[in-house]
Amino acid sequence: MTPQELRALCLSFNAAVEEFPFNPDTSVFKVLGKLFALTNLDARPLTVNLKCDPEDAVRLRADHDAIVPGWHMNKRHWNTVTVAELPDKMVRELVEDSYDLVVAGLPRAERLKLDRP
């Protein structure tokens, strides 16, 4: 997956936006103000921080060398994923899972606006 494909994927979700609150190099993808992906699209190797269910996070880290505890994030809930070392389909699923976890934590009224109750 290329950096452009990762950006397009993150922006393909309902109400997803890209912001740069930390510096001009770090893309922060949010849904209704809540972070679901964080990456430097120019970095090599390309990595992305994604939210993950704590039990799944432990399993994924054990099964894949390309998935480690989230860098500068809450290690229980976030993973850092090296994109090029995983199949594109898996990266897409991990990004979607991160988005879905964040949406699930939103108030019900906000979730309904997204058509993802």
Side-chain angles (χ1 to χ4, degrees), residues 1-3 6 39-48 81-84:
M1 180 175 291
T2 68
L6 179 60
T39 185
N40 178 340
L41 293 167
D42 294 325
R44 298 297 174 264
L46 177 61
T47 62
V48 60
V81 175
T82 303
V83 174

Side-chain angles (χ1 to χ4, degrees), residues 59-100:
R59 180 186 51 77
L60 287 165
R61 293 172 197 163
D63 292 347
H64 304 279
D65 291 337
I67 301 176
V68 297
W71 188 68
H72 282 293
M73 305 294 277
N74 180 326
K75 310 288 189 243
R76 185 166 189 266
H77 295 276
W78 290 86
N79 283 334
T80 297
V81 175
T82 303
V83 174
E85 294 181 23
L86 296 171
D88 287 357
K89 180 180 180 195
M90 183 175 188
V91 173
R92 282 191 296 275
E93 289 170 354
L94 292 170
V95 172
E96 184 174 1
D97 288 348
S98 180
Y99 176 87
D100 288 343

Side-chain angles (χ1 to χ4, degrees), residues 22-64:
F22 304 118
N23 60 55
D25 299 322
T26 305
S27 294
V28 176
F29 296 95
K30 295 181 177 182
V31 55
L32 300 180
K34 301 292 184 180
L35 168 73
F36 71 92
L38 178 122
T39 185
N40 178 340
L41 293 167
D42 294 325
R44 298 297 174 264
L46 177 61
T47 62
V48 60
N49 284 2
L50 299 169
K51 191 164 183 130
C52 190
D53 174 79
E55 291 178 17
D56 289 341
V58 172
R59 180 186 51 77
L60 287 165
R61 293 172 197 163
D63 292 347
H64 304 279

